[in-house]
Amino acid sequence: VKRQGTTHGDMRRYTSMSLWVAGEARFVRCVLCLVLSLLGGAWARAEPVGEDTRIRGFADDLFKRGDFYRAITEYERFLYLYPDHAQAPQVLTKIAVSYYGGEKWDAASRRFQAIQAQYAQQEAGRLAGLYLAAIALNQRDYGRALEALEAFSRSYPDDLRRGDVANQRILAHLQWGQPELGRAVLQEAGTTNRPAGLKLTLEDVEEWQDLPRRSPMLAGTLSSLLPGAGQAYARRWSDATLAFLLNGLFFWGTYEAFQREEEVAGSFLLALDATWYFGNIYNAVNGARKANQFREDQLAERWRIRYGWTFPPGSKDIPLPVAGIGRTF
């Protein structure tokens, strides 16, 4: 020992340190075993994720990405496997909203009507009534939209969305050319218990009535006198130029054919000229209507931005559909 340069005291210290290290290691192993056993017990007690949850989660993810066709497939799979599941009303609603997001109005209407009939007293039934009104509005069927909105107001007078419904009823009357009825809805709501979500005012109704509009009748009359004049009146300059040039060209060709005593060609060109002439009148009338509709849509969009109002409530969260959805539905 002396030759190695180590004393008996050093050996005792080394032995004590080794025993201490061994004791510490045993303590750490015991702590780790205890922690792992606790975690293992927690994992054993945790509920495994069910197949229904996985299917619903995957379908919801597809819906959020706007892949409505595949989302509908997964939702339908969920309902096939779990027809009596507690989430069945919500899944049925998601399917209908997917059709709505893909602008498949007929399929969406059928789905929402079935939901409304089956779950009239649940949230799914209420939401279905709102979406049925929204579908009619997207199709510019204001009479049907008003029927759905008024039915919702009668059926659910205490619903928190009645302010949004009142806003939409007023706007639908205005879009249908019934400003006095829109004003009446606003006054009725204001004199009773005014809903918290009611944003439109009498000043808004007056602003709608004061919008500069073009007369479709005057536009048609002008185009009958001079092709393209009605389109110019509606501020549709490209249509005006095209109508004037085409009608002028056909008129000149018809005149030249009859001047050269080519009756067959002249008669053919005259028929074409008459077709373009009356088409020009229709185009002028339709152009004036479209110009008015464009101004009205712009004002309605300004109101939605100003008041932060969407219809149906929450529909702003519906994503845009992915490309190709139309060919699959």
Side-chain angles (χ1 to χ4, degrees):
V1 171
K2 287 182 180 179
R3 283 198 302 270
Q4 293 176 357
T6 305
T7 64
H8 290 288
D10 292 335
M11 291 297 293
R12 285 196 297 271
R13 284 195 298 274
Y14 294 153
T15 302
S16 300
M17 185 177 295
S18 299
L19 292 173
W20 180 83
V21 169
E24 289 293 322
R26 283 195 297 272
F27 175 75
V28 171
R29 284 198 298 270
C30 289
V31 172
L32 287 175
C33 288
L34 178 61
V35 171
L36 290 175
S37 65
L38 292 174
L39 290 175
W43 289 332
R45 290 191 301 271
E47 290 288 339
V49 178
E51 183 66 16
D52 58 338
T53 304
R54 285 195 289 268
I55 297 173
R56 173 72 191 272
F58 181 50
D60 287 341
D61 182 67
L62 292 170
F63 177 86
K64 290 175 184 176
R65 286 187 280 159
D67 194 349
F68 295 132
Y69 171 69
R70 294 176 63 203
I72 289 172
T73 302
E74 292 301 317
Y75 286 132
E76 295 281 13
R77 180 181 168 210
F78 178 96
L79 292 174
Y80 178 78
L81 295 174
Y82 309 100
D84 300 323
H85 199 283
Q87 295 182 359
Q90 291 80 6
V91 172
L92 285 168
T93 301
K94 280 286 190 178
I95 292 173
V97 174
S98 296
Y99 281 116
Y100 178 89
E103 297 185 357
K104 301 301 174 182
W105 308 127
D106 292 340
S109 292
R110 289 193 298 271
R111 294 283 182 159
F112 281 123
Q113 286 168 0
I115 294 169
Q116 190 180 44
Q118 187 174 0
Y119 303 103
Q121 301 306 317
Q122 298 183 27
E123 172 61 19
R126 296 189 179 204
L127 198 59
L130 295 175
Y131 270 99
L132 285 171
I135 291 169
L137 290 169
N138 278 289
Q139 295 177 315
R140 298 192 182 275
D141 189 347
Y142 300 116
R144 185 160 54 92
L146 284 166
E147 287 180 5
L149 292 168
E150 290 163 4
F152 184 92
S153 299
R154 288 193 305 269
S155 301
Y156 314 108
D158 299 326
D159 194 280
L160 296 178
R161 292 161 293 198
R162 58 197 181 97
D164 295 301
V165 172
N167 286 326
Q168 202 59 56
R169 284 178 64 194
I170 295 166
L171 180 57
H173 278 301
L174 294 176
Q175 290 172 318
W176 207 17
Q178 300 173 333
E180 293 306 319
L181 292 179
R183 190 189 299 270
V185 173
L186 181 59
Q187 290 172 340
E188 178 186 356
T191 53
T192 58
N193 185 17
R194 183 182 177 90
L198 179 57
K199 304 294 185 181
L200 294 179
T201 64
L202 289 174
E203 289 75 16
D204 293 326
V205 176
E206 292 174 0
E207 182 183 9
W208 182 278
Q209 290 182 281
D210 293 338
L211 277 176
R213 293 179 173 85
R214 303 295 173 185
S215 168
M217 183 176 292
L218 180 57
T221 303
L222 290 173
S223 276
S224 66
L225 298 174
L226 177 64
Q231 288 86 340
Y233 164 73
R235 301 292 191 272
R236 299 173 69 89
W237 304 111
S238 58
D239 288 349
T241 304
L242 185 62
F244 179 78
L245 290 177
L246 285 177
N247 279 276
L249 182 63
F250 278 118
F251 178 80
W252 174 79
T254 303
Y255 175 78
E256 285 294 317
F258 280 115
Q259 282 292 103
R260 296 176 183 180
E261 297 182 353
E262 297 177 1
E263 286 80 7
V264 176
S267 299
F268 177 72
L269 289 173
L270 180 61
L272 287 179
D273 188 22
T275 302
W276 279 102
Y277 174 77
F278 290 109
N280 144 75
I281 296 174
Y282 172 80
N283 181 263
V285 172
N286 196 43
R289 288 175 179 160
K290 285 185 176 180
N292 296 338
Q293 190 176 90
F294 177 74
R295 291 189 181 92
E296 292 173 356
D297 289 346
Q298 277 191 320
L299 180 56
E301 187 60 29
R302 287 201 301 272
W303 286 348
R304 292 189 178 97
I305 294 172
R306 182 192 308 166
Y307 297 125
W309 148 50
T310 58
F311 190 84
S315 59
K316 65 180 178 181
D317 299 325
I318 299 177
L320 293 175
V322 296
I325 187 172
R327 66 176 177 80
T328 344
F329 275 17

